[in-house]
Coordinates of all heavy atoms in Angstrom, one line a residue:
M63 N 0.8 -1.2 0.0 CA 0.0 0.0 0.0 C 0.9 1.3 0.0 O 0.6 2.2 -0.8 CB -0.9 0.0 1.2 CG -1.9 1.1 1.3 SD -3.1 1.0 2.7 CE -4.2 -0.3 2.0
L64 N 1.9 1.2 0.8 CA 2.8 2.4 0.9 C 3.5 2.6 -0.5 O 3.6 3.8 -0.9 CB 3.9 2.2 1.9 CG 3.5 2.4 3.4 CD1 4.6 1.9 4.3 CD2 3.2 3.9 3.7
K65 N 3.9 1.5 -1.1 CA 4.6 1.7 -2.4 C 3.7 2.3 -3.5 O 4.1 3.1 -4.3 CB 5.2 0.4 -2.8 CG 6.1 0.5 -4.1 CD 6.9 -0.7 -4.3 CE 7.8 -0.6 -5.6 NZ 8.8 0.6 -5.4
A66 N 2.4 1.8 -3.5 CA 1.4 2.3 -4.5 C 1.1 3.8 -4.2 O 1.0 4.6 -5.1 CB 0.2 1.5 -4.4
L67 N 1.0 4.2 -3.0 CA 0.7 5.6 -2.6 C 1.9 6.4 -3.0 O 1.7 7.5 -3.6 CB 0.4 5.7 -1.1 CG -1.0 5.2 -0.7 CD1 -1.0 5.2 0.8 CD2 -2.1 6.0 -1.2
D68 N 3.1 5.9 -2.8 CA 4.3 6.7 -3.1 C 4.4 6.8 -4.7 O 4.9 7.8 -5.2 CB 5.5 6.0 -2.6 CG 6.8 6.8 -2.9 OD1 6.9 8.0 -2.5 OD2 7.7 6.2 -3.6
A69 N 3.9 5.8 -5.4 CA 4.0 5.8 -6.8 C 3.1 6.8 -7.4 O 3.3 7.3 -8.5 CB 3.6 4.4 -7.4
G70 N 2.0 7.2 -6.7 CA 1.1 8.2 -7.2 C -0.3 7.9 -7.4 O -1.1 8.6 -8.0
I71 N -0.8 6.7 -6.8 CA -2.2 6.3 -7.0 C -3.1 7.1 -6.1 O -2.7 7.6 -5.0 CB -2.4 4.8 -6.9 CG1 -2.2 4.4 -5.4 CG2 -1.5 4.1 -7.8 CD1 -3.5 4.3 -4.7
D72 N -4.4 7.3 -6.5 CA -5.4 7.9 -5.6 C -6.4 6.9 -5.0 O -6.9 7.2 -4.0 CB -6.1 8.9 -6.5 CG -5.3 10.1 -6.9 OD1 -4.6 10.7 -6.1 OD2 -5.2 10.3 -8.2
Q73 N -6.6 5.8 -5.7 CA -7.6 4.8 -5.2 C -7.0 3.4 -5.5 O -6.3 3.2 -6.5 CB -8.9 5.0 -6.0 CG -9.9 5.9 -5.3 CD -11.3 5.8 -6.0 OE1 -11.4 5.5 -7.2 NE2 -12.3 6.0 -5.2
F74 N -7.5 2.5 -4.6 CA -7.2 1.1 -4.7 C -8.4 0.4 -5.2 O -9.4 0.3 -4.6 CB -6.8 0.5 -3.3 CG -5.5 1.1 -2.8 CD1 -5.5 2.1 -1.8 CD2 -4.3 0.6 -3.2 CE1 -4.4 2.6 -1.3 CE2 -3.1 1.1 -2.7 CZ -3.1 2.1 -1.7
G75 N -8.3 0.0 -6.5 CA -9.4 -0.7 -7.1 C -9.6 -2.1 -6.5 O -8.6 -2.8 -6.4
G76 N -10.8 -2.6 -6.3 CA -11.1 -3.9 -5.9 C -10.6 -4.3 -4.5 O -10.4 -5.5 -4.2
E77 N -10.3 -3.3 -3.7 CA -9.8 -3.5 -2.3 C -10.8 -2.8 -1.3 O -11.5 -1.9 -1.7 CB -8.4 -3.0 -2.1 CG -7.4 -3.6 -3.0 CD -6.9 -4.9 -2.5 OE1 -7.3 -5.3 -1.4 OE2 -6.1 -5.6 -3.2
L78 N -10.8 -3.3 -0.1 CA -11.6 -2.7 0.9 C -10.9 -2.7 2.3 O -11.6 -2.5 3.3 CB -13.0 -3.4 1.1 CG -13.0 -4.9 1.1 CD1 -12.8 -5.5 2.5 CD2 -14.4 -5.4 0.6
C79 N -9.6 -2.8 2.3 CA -8.8 -2.9 3.5 C -8.5 -1.5 4.1 O -7.4 -1.1 4.2 CB -7.5 -3.7 3.3 SG -6.5 -3.2 1.9
T80 N -9.6 -0.8 4.4 CA -9.4 0.6 5.0 C -8.7 0.5 6.3 O -8.0 1.5 6.7 CB -10.8 1.2 5.2 OG1 -11.6 0.4 6.0 CG2 -11.5 1.5 3.8
D81 N -8.8 -0.6 7.0 CA -8.1 -0.7 8.3 C -6.6 -0.7 8.1 O -5.9 -0.1 9.0 CB -8.6 -2.0 9.0 CG -8.4 -3.2 8.1 OD1 -8.6 -3.1 6.9 OD2 -7.9 -4.3 8.6
V82 N -6.1 -1.2 7.1 CA -4.7 -1.2 6.8 C -4.2 0.2 6.6 O -3.2 0.6 7.2 CB -4.3 -2.1 5.6 CG1 -2.8 -2.0 5.3 CG2 -4.7 -3.5 5.9
L83 N -4.9 1.0 5.8 CA -4.6 2.4 5.6 C -4.6 3.2 6.9 O -3.8 4.0 7.2 CB -5.4 3.0 4.5 CG -5.2 4.4 4.2 CD1 -3.7 4.7 3.8 CD2 -6.1 4.9 3.0
L84 N -5.7 3.0 7.7 CA -5.8 3.7 8.9 C -4.7 3.4 9.9 O -4.2 4.3 10.6 CB -7.2 3.4 9.6 CG -8.4 4.1 8.9 CD1 -9.7 3.6 9.4 CD2 -8.3 5.6 9.0
D85 N -4.2 2.1 9.9 CA -3.1 1.8 10.8 C -1.9 2.5 10.3 O -1.1 3.0 11.1 CB -2.9 0.2 10.7 CG -3.9 -0.6 11.5 OD1 -4.6 0.1 12.3 OD2 -4.0 -1.8 11.3
L86 N -1.7 2.6 9.0 CA -0.5 3.3 8.5 C -0.5 4.8 8.9 O 0.5 5.4 9.2 CB -0.4 3.2 7.0 CG 0.0 1.8 6.4 CD1 -0.2 1.8 4.9 CD2 1.4 1.4 6.8
V87 N -1.8 5.4 8.9 CA -1.9 6.8 9.3 C -1.6 6.9 10.8 O -0.9 7.8 11.2 CB -3.3 7.3 9.0 CG1 -3.5 8.7 9.6 CG2 -3.5 7.3 7.5
A88 N -2.1 6.0 11.6 CA -1.9 6.0 13.0 C -0.4 5.9 13.4 O 0.0 6.5 14.4 CB -2.8 5.0 13.7
E89 N 0.3 5.1 12.6 CA 1.7 4.9 12.8 C 2.6 6.0 12.3 O 3.8 6.0 12.5 CB 2.1 3.5 12.2 CG 1.5 2.3 12.8 CD 1.6 1.1 11.9 OE1 2.3 1.2 10.9 OE2 1.0 0.0 12.2

């Protein structure tokens, strides 16, 4: 997820792991 965000994506297609992103924000 981090690598894709760093690459420049805005949305993750076909995914619903919002918890993973929220953990990355919290960390």
Side-chain angles (χ1 to χ4, degrees):
M63 185 175 284
L64 282 170
K65 187 165 181 62
L67 288 169
D68 182 62
I71 69 97
D72 296 303
Q73 269 192 328
F74 296 99
E77 298 282 351
L78 47 81
C79 50
T80 55
D81 54 320
V82 175
L83 180 54
L84 286 171
D85 286 345
L86 290 173
V87 173
E89 295 164 5

